[in-house]
Amino acid sequence: MDRLVAGIWGENAPRNAEQSVYTYVAGLRRVFEPGRGRREPSRVLAGTPAGYVLQVEPAQVDALLFAEGIEEARRVQRAGDDLQAVRRLDEALGMWRGTALSGLSGPFAEAERDRLEQLRLAALELRAESLLRLGRHRDIVEELGDLTRRNPLRERARELLMTALFRSGNPAEALKVYEEGRVLLAEELGLSPGEGLRRCYEMVLRADAAPAPSAPTPHETPHQLPRPLAEFVGRSAETGWLTERLAPRGETSSSPLVIITGPPGVGKSALAAHVAHLAKDRFPDGQLYVNCRGATPELPALTPLDVLGRFLRALGTPPSAVPADLDEAAAAWRSRLHDRRVLVLLDDAADLAQIRSLMSASLGNTLLVTSRESMSWGEDAVQLELARMSQADSATMLANLAGTSRISADAGETARLARLCDGLPLALRIAGARLAGRPDWSVSTLAARLNDERTRLHELAAGDLAVRSSLAGSHTALERGSRPVDRLAARTLALLGLLHVPEMTAAAAGALAGITPGEAEAALERLVDAHLLDRAGPGRYQLHDLVRLFAGELRPHDSRGALIRALSYYAASTRLASHVSDPHRTQLSAPVDAPSHEISTAEEARAWLREEEAILSAAAVQALNSPDDTIARLGVNLTFGLLWHQSRAYHMAEMKELNTLALRVSERLGDEASALLAHGHIALALQMTGHTDEAVAHQRSELELARRLGDAFAEMRTLGNLANTYNSGQHYEEALSFAELQLARARSIGASVGVRYALLMMGESHLGAGGPEKAREALHEALADAEEAGDSGYEGQIRLALGEAYLDLKSPKQALPHLLRALELISASGYRIGKVRCLIGLSRMYRMLEDPNRAFSFVTEAAASGGAFGHVTWEQRLREEQAAVAEARAAISAGPCL
């Protein structure tokens, strides 16, 4: 909003400026969408956390069409088709209807009006160049005369007019035009005519209508490097590495091509200027510089011929002698640099194609290139990928801008501010400038403002510096790219901003974009090359925070459909993985009609769930917080699909958080069946962390809903879960009562899995109550049922309990096979708390067999694997077993008593 106000009114904004903006926007929306309902959101001029975005195609914006027309004319002109170039320029110029933005005032309108006018003048000059090459010099004398009269200080127009007059047989008039320009420049600007105008003047004096392009002129020594930063911060390792490539010790030649790549705002240009000045003495024949405009918003990138032309003129080639053919210009470039040592700084190169024609210069010359694109080029090239700044260097940069005492006063808040700036020098420079301009702000004040993700990009703007603009340049370059993969990458970036997950795979991105995983991978890799996306591991990608916030502002078309596709992919894949990892467990999430990840084995399924859990949880949280019912239901589905994995992995906090949200959504939607499941899952998380009473309360709500819905299976399952909770809380009589009720209910409805679980709970109840013989009886019956069904998940848990029963019966040798088999099955399933129980049981068994050293290895492994993960009962038993083993080992060390 601040930028809108500044753009409309500048420093003279009225007090009600923001309200006026709202009024203007409302008026524009009525014009753009006359049929839009009063409460219907605008699809053309949409609101964002940072302001507004005009959602139109580039072909609907005349200013963009005009710029594209000029760029197309340049392309065909370089290809040698001047006639077609004139046609393209005539079409572009035909779009003008007087002064641009006529009648509008304010800083933005004035700046845009000036920019468009400069583009128009450049187009007129390009048109004149082509007409001169076509031999139509007489046709353009009047037009160029008018252009020069209206823009008397524009040297290129005057140069073209002199050439047209001279070729029309009027050298005296051409010299007069030169003299008028010389006097004007001296009087108005205190300058002499530029090199191009002087060369044209000499051509007329020599009566040379067609100077030979290859005619050499005396070498000139250009010094074009931009001024380096007065206080360059950090990058000592990178500076040393680059300097060694530009100015190696001894007689070794400099590297012919040195490339610095990295994300927008990471400080590539500043570092390049810094090292170029350090190494310039090794290049006595000059230093050239050009901004290639590879990612400059609203301005076309320089063409290879543009770059060559600038450099050839800087090296002394007369403007009229600069070849119009790219190959000829490249040959002239090689000739100019032969036996010379020149450093060429090419800043913000779009790609290799833009600079390839300069790369054939003789050894001793060096191209130092910065680009947002990763570049690969043969043995002669070296490339440095510039990373974000360290915390220490970030703090130093802030101190240089805002004052050392201010920045050092609160090291914690300074570190926080640096993190919020994502380690990007551009963002840090803006933050420092804002602090310098607001002496009443503390570091924590700005950090608090940046902490709000909705406005962070808005806050990271100062003057003409803005992180958003820097990122927009890269995105726009992809949108306007000549290759389909560029445009697909631009669309994919916008879609990635919809999904708030820490990482992304090609399959998930494909679902999001509605394309194949192969196409999605190509788009993601293109974003990596453009440094808008990072690889987080094999086949995995992630957005840095500021890029993620920028992507979230792009608002692509079909946002809802894309989000539903991605969430459906996650839900379907999670359900499949949960089923394949243990086919005997009941899948409580509903089937989803969507493509899913390909999973064929239990090992693959468990590995996928482990790798994806953080992503799946983040996607579920986003969906569960959505006001859209369809999206929220997908969040519930995804949450329920994670149950068995979270239970095995003992991720109870995550289970409770997600299912609490799922319960809220289910109650909002009036979905009692889903509310029933959510209550049960919350209860499991509470029970596993020792909160028995709270768990029972949720399970009683679950039981009530099951009976009200007439869901016999849910009722049976809840009875077993109540037995488990009471067992965990050491209320064995109540546990046994609910286990017997579950057994009866399971047998009545033919639920064999319920029978197995009820028998397991009965065994656990008897074991806890001091009845190992009754426990053994129930557990042997449960084991036979599990083995017959091939239910390895329950078999492992039953054998674990059976081994513990034999230990209580003082039969360690009978316990051994059960505990070893339980450890094998439970380890394979990923049931972490069960594995700890197995290890404690094996330690206890070997202690009973008077082998405390073997016992020590098992109890040590139990502790090393994470202990009992906060489970109150088993944390206590682990400590007791460690103490018992230590005592047994100490007794052996002491030897027999005399």
Side-chain angles (χ1 to χ4, degrees):
M1 180 61 74
D2 290 346
R3 292 179 67 191
L4 284 172
V5 170
I8 297 171
W9 291 284
E11 297 180 356
N12 300 313
R15 290 185 177 179
N16 63 341
E18 288 194 12
Q19 187 58 48
S20 297
V21 170
Y22 298 141
T23 302
Y24 296 159
V25 169
L28 287 171
R29 285 172 169 170
R30 286 194 294 273
V31 173
F32 291 152
E33 301 169 281
R36 182 174 62 89
R38 188 174 180 182
R39 296 187 177 274
E40 183 183 350
S42 175
R43 296 186 178 182
V44 178
L45 189 53
T48 72
Y52 300 93
V53 59
L54 187 62
Q55 298 185 131
V56 294
E57 297 297 327
Q60 295 175 274
V61 182
D62 54 3
L64 295 178
L65 289 175
F66 176 63
E68 287 173 4
I70 295 174
E71 185 60 26
E72 176 62 21
R74 288 181 191 273
R75 282 195 288 269
V76 297
Q77 193 182 63
R78 288 196 305 273
D81 192 348
D82 282 301
L83 187 60
Q84 186 65 16
V86 171
R87 289 173 181 161
R88 290 282 187 270
L89 289 163
D90 283 342
E91 290 173 4
L93 290 164
M95 299 172 65
W96 279 75
R97 300 289 185 271
T99 304
L101 303 178
S102 179
L104 293 180
S105 59
F108 173 79
E110 292 167 5
E112 185 68 2
R113 187 159 40 241
D114 182 66
R115 184 186 71 83
L116 291 171
E117 176 62 13
Q118 294 303 313
L119 275 178
R120 186 183 73 86
L121 295 175
L124 290 169
E125 290 169 351
L126 282 174
R127 181 175 180 275
E129 290 173 11
S130 284
L131 289 171
L132 282 171
R133 280 191 289 270
L134 291 168
R136 293 171 56 184
H137 34 270
R138 296 182 186 277
D139 297 343
I140 58 172
V141 167
E142 185 177 345
E143 181 181 321
L144 285 170
D146 182 63
L147 179 61
T148 304
R149 282 189 295 275
R150 292 176 181 272
N151 302 273
L153 297 175
R154 198 168 180 90
E155 293 188 54
R156 182 58 177 157
R158 191 172 293 275
E159 181 185 338
L160 291 167
L161 175 57
M162 288 177 65
T163 303
L165 287 166
F166 177 70
R167 292 183 182 179
S168 299
N170 199 346
E173 191 64 28
L175 292 173
K176 181 180 177 183
V177 169
Y178 172 81
E179 183 60 21
E180 289 174 352
R182 186 190 67 78
V183 172
L184 274 170
L185 287 167
E187 291 179 349
E188 297 290 332
L189 304 176
L191 297 175
S192 299
E195 182 184 328
L197 203 52
R198 293 199 313 271
R199 297 294 181 195
C200 193
Y201 173 65
E202 292 168 4
M203 176 192 73
V204 176
L205 288 177
R206 293 196 309 267
D208 183 3
S214 59
T217 61
H219 289 326
E220 299 186 8
T221 305
H223 300 284
Q224 297 183 341
L225 292 179
R227 179 181 67 81
L229 292 177
E231 295 188 39
F232 187 81
V233 174
R235 307 296 197 194
S236 56
E238 294 91 340
T239 298
W241 189 88
L242 289 166
T243 304
E244 182 62 26
R245 270 69 192 168
L246 296 177
R249 299 183 183 93
E251 299 300 319
T252 307
S253 296
S254 59
S255 299
L257 177 59
V258 180
I259 304 168
I260 304 173
T261 69
V266 81
K268 301 180 294 294
S269 299
L271 176 60
H274 178 63
V275 297
H277 277 278
L278 292 176
K280 66 182 179 182
D281 290 344
R282 287 291 295 267
F283 301 93
D285 296 310
Q287 304 89 41
L288 297 169
Y289 167 83
V290 70
N291 181 347
C292 298
R293 301 201 306 235
T296 303
E298 301 180 10
L299 285 178
L302 296 183
T303 67
L305 194 58
D306 290 334
V307 176
L308 280 168
R310 290 186 181 205
F311 287 164
L312 288 171
R313 289 192 293 273
L315 291 168
T317 304
S320 55
V322 173
D325 177 79
L326 182 59
D327 290 338
E328 290 181 8
W333 166 254
R334 291 192 294 272
S335 296
R336 281 285 175 184
L337 293 191
H338 183 65
D339 285 338
R340 302 182 78 182
R341 283 187 292 167
V342 175
L343 176 61
V344 183
L345 176 49
L346 297 159
D347 194 20
D348 194 19
D351 49 32
L352 274 173
Q354 188 182 30
I355 64 171
R356 186 174 283 114
S357 55
L358 290 94
M359 293 163 55
S360 56
S362 58
L363 286 176
N365 298 288
T366 293
L367 303 185
L368 176 58
V369 182
T370 73
S371 179
R372 300 182 182 194
E373 298 285 342
S374 292
M375 298 185 179
S376 299
W377 182 262
E379 297 178 354
D380 285 343
V382 292
Q383 180 167 287
L384 171 69
E385 184 167 333
L386 195 57
R388 286 161 167 77
M389 295 190 80
S390 67
Q391 284 280 354
D393 286 346
S394 298
T396 301
M397 177 177 280
L398 289 169
N400 286 348
L401 292 163
T404 303
S405 59
R406 195 170 173 195
I407 295 300
S408 60
D410 192 336
E413 285 300 301
T414 297
R416 178 186 174 208
L417 180 58
R419 284 194 300 273
L420 290 169
C421 290
D422 223 2
L424 286 178
L426 174 61
L428 291 163
R429 198 186 331 161
I430 292 169
R434 294 204 68 191
L435 285 172
R438 294 297 299 266
D440 55 318
W441 283 6
S442 66
V443 174
S444 62
T445 301
L446 182 56
R449 294 174 73 94
L450 294 184
N451 198 54
D452 187 345
E453 290 192 346
R454 296 168 299 177
T455 58
R456 188 179 304 166
L457 290 178
H458 173 68
E459 294 288 344
L460 287 173
D464 59 352
L465 293 177
V467 171
R468 182 186 285 110
S469 299
S470 180
L471 295 170
S474 290
H475 181 253
T476 301
L478 288 173
E479 275 190 318
R480 299 180 184 175
S482 58
R483 299 180 299 166
V485 71
D486 293 339
R487 297 187 290 277
L488 180 60
R491 175 173 175 263
T492 301
L493 179 63
L495 291 169
L496 292 179
L498 299 174
L499 197 56
H500 306 160
V501 295
E503 293 178 5
M504 178 68 62
T505 63
L512 184 68
I515 55 180
T516 67
E519 291 171 319
E521 184 178 28
L524 294 170
E525 286 295 325
R526 182 67 189 86
L527 289 171
V528 169
D529 288 342
H531 291 96
L532 290 169
L533 194 65
D534 286 345
R535 293 188 185 91
R540 308 180 79 79
Y541 306 86
Q542 65 181 11
L543 291 166
H544 271 280
D545 282 349
L546 295 179
V547 180
R548 174 177 57 81
L549 296 177
F550 169 75
E553 292 183 354
L554 294 175
R555 302 290 182 93
H557 295 297
D558 190 29
S559 298
R560 180 175 183 271
L563 193 54
I564 287 173
R565 286 194 301 270
L567 292 169
S568 297
Y569 162 79
Y570 282 139
S573 300
T574 303
R575 190 179 197 278
L576 174 63
S578 182
H579 170 72
V580 173
S581 68
D582 190 346
H584 293 280
R585 304 286 74 78
T586 303
Q587 298 306 315
L588 302 175
S589 60
V592 178
D593 184 16
S596 65
H597 186 72
E598 294 183 7
I599 299 170
S600 55
T601 68
E603 290 74 17
E604 288 178 6
R606 290 167 190 152
W608 186 85
L609 286 165
R610 283 194 301 272
E611 291 172 0
E612 299 292 318
E613 183 183 6
I615 296 170
L616 300 172
S617 295
V621 168
Q622 178 183 355
L624 290 166
N625 283 296
S626 172
D628 185 298
D629 290 354
T630 300
I631 291 174
R633 285 185 188 279
L634 282 168
V636 173
N637 202 312
L638 182 50
T639 296
F640 292 169
L642 285 168
L643 171 73
W644 296 116
H645 167 72
Q646 290 177 330
S647 178
R648 288 191 297 268
Y650 202 75
H651 292 165
M652 296 300 127
E654 294 84 351
M655 182 189 292
K656 181 184 175 186
E657 177 191 0
L658 288 179
N659 281 280
T660 300
L661 292 173
L663 178 59
R664 186 181 70 189
V665 170
S666 301
E667 290 174 342
R668 186 189 90 204
L669 299 176
D671 184 350
E672 291 190 330
S674 294
L676 177 155
L677 295 173
H679 275 298
H681 302 165
I682 295 169
L684 175 59
L686 290 167
Q687 172 251 309
M688 292 289 279
T689 51
H691 298 86
T692 303
D693 292 343
E694 294 176 64
V696 167
H698 279 282
Q699 285 169 334
R700 291 197 179 279
S701 297
E702 179 186 12
L703 187 61
E704 180 184 343
L705 285 168
R707 288 171 174 166
R708 185 158 72 232
L709 292 169
D711 188 335
F713 188 88
E715 180 187 357
M716 179 274 299
R717 186 182 63 245
T718 306
L719 291 169
N721 290 338
L722 276 162
N724 188 20
T725 299
Y726 279 119
N727 270 330
S728 181
Q730 301 180 27
H731 302 293
Y732 300 116
E733 186 176 342
E734 292 92 335
L736 183 59
S737 173
F738 279 108
E740 289 171 343
L741 287 172
Q742 183 193 25
L743 181 61
R745 197 73 172 115
R747 284 174 171 161
S748 71
I749 64 174
S752 59
V753 67
V755 171
R756 291 194 290 280
Y757 190 77
L759 290 169
L760 172 60
M761 290 300 103
M762 290 173 66
E764 296 271 16
S765 301
H766 287 305
L767 196 59
E773 291 183 356
K774 289 183 178 180
R776 180 181 59 183
E777 181 180 341
L779 292 169
H780 270 296
E781 183 180 352
L783 179 60
D785 193 285
E787 288 179 322
E788 182 180 352
D791 187 346
S792 60
Y794 275 171
E795 182 187 346
Q797 294 182 55
I798 293 165
R799 285 189 181 277
L800 169 58
L802 198 51
E804 291 172 340
Y806 278 115
L807 291 178
D808 284 358
L809 289 168
K810 311 301 182 187
S811 301
K813 291 184 179 179
Q814 288 179 279
L816 178 60
H818 291 296
L819 290 173
L820 289 176
R821 179 60 175 159
L823 181 62
E824 178 186 350
L825 293 172
I826 286 174
S827 296
S829 72
Y831 177 31
R832 297 170 72 192
I833 194 70
K835 181 179 178 180
V836 171
R837 282 184 61 181
C838 283
L839 292 169
I840 292 173
L842 285 163
S843 173
R844 182 182 167 203
M845 183 206 69
Y846 278 111
R847 191 164 46 80
M848 292 173 71
L849 292 173
E850 298 183 351
D851 189 350
N853 289 330
R854 292 284 298 275
F856 178 74
S857 67
F858 282 107
V859 77
T860 300
E861 185 181 350
S865 63
F869 311 105
H871 193 292
V872 176
T873 300
W874 287 101
E875 286 284 3
Q876 177 63 28
R877 292 191 185 180
L878 175 58
R879 288 192 294 271
E880 290 172 354
E881 183 61 24
Q882 286 175 311
V885 169
E887 183 179 346
R889 296 182 79 203
I892 289 178
S893 299
C897 296
L898 295 178

